Structure formats: C-alpha cells, structure tokens
Amino acid sequence: MAATLEERTPTLDIERARRTPNPLDLTDEQLVELEVKFDAIRDDITAKRGASDARYIGRVIKAQRSLEMVGRASMLFSKHKPLWLLGVGCLAGGKILENMEIGHNVLHGQWDWMNDMEIHSTTWEWDFVAPSSGWQRTHNETHHTWTNVVGKDRDVGYNVLRMDPSQPWRPANLLNPVINAGLAPMFEWGIAIYDIEFDQYLAGAKSKEATLRDFKRVMKKFGRQSAKDFVLSPLLASLTGSAKSSIKGYVAANVIRNLWAHAVIFCGHFPDGAETFTEEDIENESRGHWYLRQAMGSANIDGSKFMHFMTGNLSFQIEHHLFPDLPSNRLAEIAPRVKAICAEYGIPYTSGPLPKQVFEAWRKVFRLALP
C-alpha cells in the first residue's frame, strides 16, 4: 500500500485503528472465502425475489403518488397557512420517497427483474434536476465501481470539497464549510452540474460535444421540473389567490428534500470509519477485494424502520454498496449476515445514529478545510 492505515486515519481514530487488524492484509485465500460468502448472500436474495417484493414497490409508488397528489392539491389553496404546511409536508415527503426509495433504487436496476417497463432502469426519469442517464453514468458506473478510491471516484468531494487528507490542500479549501452549507439545500443542482463533468472536459478527458450534450440534457430537465413546480402549479393556484404562497411552498419542499438527501449521502460515505483508498490499493483487484473495499468504504445509519424507509434504505449503505442491484427492502434482512461476515474477518462495520454520523461528516468538512 502507498500509505499505512495510521497515515490515512484521522488523528482522533488512530488508537482505534491500532486495535483493529488491517483488513487489506487478508490473504488471497481469505479474499476468495469472502467472495464466496458474499456471493452466497446475493444468490439467496436473488432466488427469493418474487411477488412480495413486487407488492412492496407497488405500494411505495402508490403512497408516493398519493402524497404528491395531496401536496399539489393543498398548494392550490396555500394562502391558508394550515394547507400550506400540509402541502409542504406532503410534497417534501413525496419527493423524498421518489428520490430515495423509488428513483435511486429503480435506476440501480433493483426492479428490472420484474420486466415492468414503468419501473425499469432504462425508462425511469426521476423528480430531480439531474437527468437519470447522466446520474447512472457518474453514480452507478463510476462511483460504485471505484468507491472511495481517491483519483478514480469523483464522488470524494464532488469536485468542490476536500474530503480526504490525501487530496492536495488549496487556499480555496478554506471555504469547505461554506460550500457544503450551500450545497446541501441545492443538492439536486450540485449533482446535476457534477454529472455534466465540466472538470473532465477541462482536463481533456471529455469532448466538447459530449459536454454540450450533457449540458443541454440538464437544461431540458430543468425546464420540465420548473414548468411543473414553478409555472403550471402557481398558475392554477393563482385562481385562488395562492400563486406566491405556492411558489414558496414548492421551494420549501425541494429544499427539505435536498437537505435530507445530502445528509443521508454524506452519512453513508464520510463519517469516521469510512475508509478511502489509493489507486495502488486496487491494482489487480479481485472480486473478494472489491467486496472488502465496499464494506470498508461505506457507513450505515442506525434507526427505526421508518427512518430506514425514508432514506431509501441507504441507511444500510454497506449492504447497498456490496449489492447495489438487490431490492432495497431486502437490505435490512441481510444486514446481520453481512455484519457477521465482517466480524469474522476483522473488517470494520461502521454504523451509528443519524446525529452522530451527520456530526462526524461535517467535522470532516471543517477539519479538511485546513492544511
């Protein structure tokens, strides 16, 4: 390895790291065993998928659409404060469900086995400024392949934040906390701009034509989103004198959704215990080593069934990174098995309550603002 575990672990965690065997020192035989055991979990769940899973995602979609319908109807009369609050709550909840438990998971292909083209990864377009196709490229193909490999996984800081000590410090990094505070309520825009990959174009790794195509795709999606939330709906609300209040309501619902998505994503990737890796670490990487890296580079969130549901089951981020195309409703079921395997091989299984994970992720944002 290019750097020891102690060199790559924040000072506050050095003593914990000294007490934990370095999982990257697993033998080739142990990595093969790890691959077999994790593959067995995948095969087991794949064989179990069926009518109960189909009913689950069908109920979720119905619940999400009901929330959105009630929210949009309430916004038509949103000059009345109780209806404004009801509308914001229902719209925010509906947008969170659509993004987290439906859109994100559908776009991973978790429900492709049903052969239902209404919820298929090739046809779903989610309620997010970032177009599905661009997000699938940067998220499914790049991030999930090279999770937390600095230099290959562009999600480590999203090109605007310094989130690992190995990333060179620049004076602009002093703005880490300010940038992250601005990114959170505008998260969907941050992801949309990130998916255009302007940095790849400037580096000569992406053609002008491809960059322009992706930019146009984002602007087209922005146009559709804006027309729905900020043109058509306020026009209808103007009939009851609720145009301005409805615009404020849609802004509030989008901000709530973005803040929640930002918190969940950062808790799954950046709290203490979520490891990063160098490109040297992944040379000649086997499938077992890939499984190992996914487990080490992710973190879970402890909480209730409702909290797991509202995160799109991304509170089981470790399990999701191990098996990104397994149905999200199955992740709670396999979590104890994954945790037991990690314990058997001395692999850290990072998990904690939401306030703790949020605090640690933000502490890293502040800490790495400095040299």
Side-chain angles (χ1 to χ4, degrees), residues 169-175 369:
W169 182 85
R170 297 180 178 87
N173 296 136
L174 291 170
L175 296 175

Side-chain angles (χ1 to χ4, degrees), residues 29-84:
E29 290 76 13
Q30 288 175 313
L31 289 173
V32 170
E33 292 173 7
L34 200 65
E35 177 181 347
V36 170
K37 292 181 178 182
F38 281 137
D39 279 348
I41 293 177
R42 168 185 290 283
D43 294 342
D44 181 37
I45 298 302
T46 300
K48 287 181 179 179
R49 292 181 311 194
S52 63
D53 302 282
R55 284 194 298 271
Y56 170 81
I57 190 61
R59 288 195 298 267
V60 173
I61 290 174
K62 287 180 180 178
Q64 185 275 326
R65 289 176 177 171
S66 296
L67 281 172
E68 184 173 3
M69 181 176 65
V70 172
R72 291 187 181 278
S74 298
M75 280 299 152
L76 298 178
F77 307 92
S78 55
K79 67 178 181 179
H80 304 290
K81 194 68 172 182
L83 289 177
W84 187 87

Side-chain angles (χ1 to χ4, degrees), residues 46 64 91 102 210 246 251 260 292 325:
T46 300
Q64 185 275 326
L91 281 171
I102 304 173
S246 73
V251 169
W260 179 247
L292 172 63
D325 57 352

Side-chain angles (χ1 to χ4, degrees), residues 1-15 17-18 22 162 164-167 275-276 278 281 367-368:
M1 292 179 59
T4 66
L5 182 61
E6 289 185 2
E7 288 172 335
R8 290 185 288 108
T9 304
T11 304
L12 292 174
D13 298 321
I14 286 179
E15 290 304 318
R18 286 173 176 157
N22 182 356
R162 181 173 182 251
D164 189 77
S166 67
Q167 294 173 310
E275 272 284 1
T276 56
T278 67
D281 291 336
R367 185 168 58 210
L368 293 177

Side-chain angles (χ1 to χ4, degrees), residues 153-371:
D153 181 6
R154 298 170 61 252
D155 281 19
V156 182
Y158 299 98
N159 301 324
V160 294
L161 297 168
R162 181 173 182 251
M163 294 302 297
D164 189 77
S166 67
Q167 294 173 310
W169 182 85
R170 297 180 178 87
N173 296 136
L174 291 170
L175 296 175
N176 242 27
V178 176
I179 293 172
N180 199 41
L183 175 64
M186 300 288 292
F187 195 54
E188 62 178 318
W189 267 107
I191 297 301
I193 294 171
Y194 168 74
D195 286 349
I196 296 172
E197 300 175 308
F198 284 116
D199 63 311
Q200 299 293 293
Y201 166 68
L202 294 174
K206 185 173 182 176
S207 69
K208 179 180 179 180
E209 292 74 21
T211 305
L212 185 59
R213 179 199 63 213
D214 290 341
F215 175 75
K216 288 180 178 178
R217 186 177 292 144
V218 167
M219 295 311 296
K220 183 178 180 180
K221 182 70 181 293
F222 166 66
R224 290 202 302 269
Q225 292 293 104
S226 298
K228 180 176 64 174
D229 286 355
F230 302 113
V231 178
L232 179 59
S233 295
L235 278 175
L236 292 174
S238 68
L239 299 176
T240 65
S242 301
K244 289 183 179 180
S245 57
S246 73
I247 291 174
K248 292 177 182 178
Y250 281 104
V251 169
N254 281 317
V255 167
I256 292 170
R257 181 266 309 277
N258 289 337
L259 290 172
W260 179 247
H262 178 274
V264 171
I265 297 304
F266 271 60
C267 285
H269 297 87
F270 301 124
D272 297 347
E275 272 284 1
T276 56
F277 310 91
T278 67
E279 294 188 48
E280 289 78 11
D281 291 336
I282 60 172
E283 289 181 359
N284 303 313
E285 185 175 61
S286 66
R287 179 68 176 173
H289 200 167
W290 182 87
Y291 274 134
L292 172 63
R293 179 165 55 80
Q294 299 305 317
M296 291 178 63
S298 311
N300 284 6
I301 307 171
D302 300 332
S304 66
K305 288 183 179 180
F306 179 72
M307 190 277 293
H308 294 314
F309 177 64
M310 293 305 292
T311 67
N313 283 289
L314 289 177
S315 45
F316 297 104
Q317 190 72 237
I318 295 172
E319 288 72 22
H320 171 62
H321 269 270
L322 290 168
F323 313 108
D325 57 352
L326 289 186
S328 59
N329 61 308
R330 294 283 187 169
L331 298 185
E333 174 186 342
I334 66 176
R337 297 170 65 181
V338 170
K339 188 174 183 179
I341 292 172
C342 287
E344 179 182 355
Y345 289 91
I347 303 170
Y349 186 90
T350 302
S351 189
L354 182 64
K356 174 178 178 291
Q357 302 295 67
V358 169
F359 170 76
E360 290 181 355
W362 271 92
R363 182 174 63 185
K364 182 174 289 187
V365 169
F366 275 87
R367 185 168 58 210
L368 293 177
L370 303 175

